[in-house]
Amino acid sequence: MIRYALACSACAHRYDAWFANAAAYDEQAAAALVTCPLCASNDVAKAPMAPAIGGHAAKVERAATMMAAMRALTAKVKAEAEPVGVRFPEEARRIHYGEAEERPIWGQASRDDAKALVDEGIEVAPLPDLPEPDA
């Protein structure tokens, strides 16, 4: 995959777009398939862009930021939802079918149980099991 900064000559909109490779961009541009998302003009060309130079430190920092965000989301869910433990699949069904009060819950479910809930139209999302942050 390759990302290009593009600029529309018709409306001056600048945006990024991803292509399978450089040849894919060239083929699509030659066939007038690269269009501006704002005005639909195909008068679009590559624009100058800074090279993506990301060293190891930048990658570690991004990973740490994402890990902190996932920890914060998990903490928020656990603080605001009722823990139901291994009864999660059963309680999710009871709520979905109107047999129990609607409320946010969290707990444990096997992969098969989670898939069955989704197949029944019951919205569920896994909470990441994250290692503790370094002290």
Side-chain angles (χ1 to χ4, degrees):
M1 296 293 290
I2 190 165
R3 178 177 58 101
Y4 286 125
L6 302 176
C8 175
S9 297
C11 72
H13 178 61
R14 294 178 63 93
Y15 63 100
D16 291 347
W18 287 89
F19 297 88
N21 51 45
Y25 167 81
D26 293 338
E27 291 169 10
Q28 292 177 36
L33 297 175
V34 179
T35 59
C36 174
L38 290 186
C39 71
S41 169
N42 61 6
D43 191 7
V44 174
K46 289 187 223 175
M49 61 186 283
I53 301 173
H56 178 72
K59 291 176 185 176
V60 169
E61 185 176 334
R62 280 194 305 272
T65 299
M66 290 188 313
M67 191 71 82
M70 289 188 293
R71 280 192 183 95
L73 174 65
T74 299
K76 180 175 175 57
V77 168
K78 289 182 176 182
E80 296 178 4
E82 178 185 335
V84 295
V86 296
R87 296 183 306 107
F88 181 83
E90 173 191 344
E91 197 62 21
R93 283 188 179 91
R94 291 183 65 232
I95 292 168
H96 180 75
Y97 293 113
E99 299 167 1
E101 139 190 25
E102 187 167 327
R103 66 202 188 281
I105 61 172
W106 70 275
Q108 293 88 38
S110 69
R111 184 178 303 254
D112 290 341
D113 283 337
K115 183 178 179 332
L117 290 169
V118 170
D119 289 346
E120 288 178 52
I122 302 170
E123 293 184 28
V124 297
L127 289 177
D129 185 17
L130 303 170
E132 291 299 317
D134 294 337

